Amino acid sequence: SFTVHWVYSDGNGNSVTQLQSVVVHDTLAPVPNAASLAAVSNQCSATVTAPKATDNCAGSITATTSDPTTYSSQGSFTVHWVYSDGNGNSVTQLQAVVIKDTLPSSISCPPNVTTNAVSPGGVNVTFAAPVVSDNCGGVIVTSSRASGSLFAIGTTVVTNRVIDAGGRTNLCTFTVRVKGAKDQINDLIVLVGGLPIQPGTKIGLVFELIEAQWDLDKGRTSNTCGELKHFIALVSAQKGKKLTVAQTTLLAGEATRIRAVLACH
């Protein structure tokens, strides 16, 4: 509100003053440029930009809000935008923000593992972690068996599972095969058969292993233990002669491990 002081003067020293009141009122609220604000929808995160309105006095006005303008968690949210012209007039406009992860994670398991048991209980097996990717991140990965844990003789299926922020699950599997004494004796027969050694030495060693395998198939474990022990003695006797030191160490080590699997005394 303002007052204008008007003075009327006749030029001869006579004057009179008259007051006039001037009142400027802004009674109109800003008008949003968009009749309604489009919802912002994204997979992982979203950032909203302040909208604008037009005011009869202030011109272009940028909205303000006390709500967050960046969202990174799954869910539905509402942003309350306020347009204020600075003269006590304001209008509020709402904007929806929806963060919804609709894409499942991918998961790739390590290759199948085959290894030898080292005791009647099997062997501790280590393996690589699965390769996981997700558009948003923040996934949970679980495994039915931990790397480095004890695996029994036989084949075990390991299941790896990934759960993303939206609760979707994906999985992959691989196998861990632990060879027992029978398979290991078979492998040792193949190993001896492939060595570049004299035929007579090779036949004698293979025959001893076939005997051990035969007794094992018949359930005569103690006989198998004795034949493996005799195999080790035969190998050791040829060390540096018909077998190299490396060959002796290799074959004796294989047979010793098999005896450990059978819990031989």
Side-chain angles (χ1 to χ4, degrees):
S1 297
F2 310 92
T3 300
V4 180
H5 298 75
W6 295 109
V7 178
Y8 305 94
S9 177
D10 63 3
N12 297 311
N14 303 302
S15 64
V16 62
T17 299
Q18 197 175 38
L19 304 180
Q20 184 177 24
S21 177
V22 178
V23 180
V24 180
H25 289 301
D26 180 6
T27 60
L28 300 178
V31 178
N33 291 354
S36 62
L37 297 176
V40 176
S41 180
N42 209 349
Q43 289 285 323
C44 310
S45 62
T47 298
V48 292
T49 302
K52 294 183 180 296
T54 301
D55 185 72
N56 62 314
C57 295
S60 180
I61 294 176
T62 300
T64 61
T65 182
S66 59
D67 298 318
T69 56
T70 297
Y71 297 85
S72 57
S73 58
Q74 300 290 303
S76 298
F77 311 91
T78 301
V79 182
H80 300 75
W81 294 110
V82 178
Y83 307 93
S84 178
D85 64 4
N87 296 317
N89 304 300
S90 65
V91 64
T92 299
Q93 201 172 32
L94 305 181
Q95 185 173 29
V97 178
V98 180
I99 308 298
K100 188 175 183 181
D101 183 5
T102 60
L103 301 177
S105 305
S106 67
I107 183 169
S108 177
C109 277
N112 296 333
V113 178
T114 299
T115 189
N116 293 315
V118 297
S119 72
V123 64
N124 292 87
V125 180
T126 59
F127 45 82
V131 178
V132 175
S133 64
D134 185 78
N135 60 315
C136 295
V139 299
I140 299 173
V141 181
T142 62
S143 178
S144 61
R145 296 294 300 273
S147 175
S149 61
L150 180 66
F151 282 77
I153 294 171
T155 300
T156 302
V157 177
V158 180
T159 301
N160 289 323
R161 192 180 308 272
V162 60
I163 304 174
D164 67 10
R168 275 160 300 281
T169 300
N170 202 355
L171 58 83
C172 66
T173 61
F174 67 100
T175 60
V176 175
R177 180 189 173 207
V178 178
K179 294 182 179 181
K182 181 178 180 178
D183 287 333
Q184 292 189 46
I185 292 174
N186 286 335
D187 290 344
L188 186 51
I189 291 173
V190 174
L191 176 61
V192 173
L195 290 177
I197 58 179
Q198 294 181 4
T201 302
K202 182 180 297 187
I203 291 172
L205 295 176
V206 169
F207 180 79
E208 195 67 40
L209 292 173
I210 291 175
E211 285 292 313
Q213 187 182 59
W214 173 264
D215 282 325
L216 185 60
D217 287 340
K218 297 300 181 181
R220 296 189 288 262
T221 304
S222 60
N223 288 357
T224 301
C225 288
E227 284 146 359
L228 288 170
K229 184 176 181 181
H230 188 228
F231 173 86
I232 295 171
L234 291 175
V235 168
S236 300
Q238 297 302 325
K239 181 179 180 180
K241 301 174 184 177
K242 296 182 179 180
L243 294 173
T244 66
V245 174
Q247 289 169 342
T248 301
T249 301
L250 174 61
L251 297 179
E254 293 291 307
T256 299
R257 185 187 64 245
I258 299 171
R259 280 175 52 83
V261 174
L262 294 171
C264 297
H265 299 295

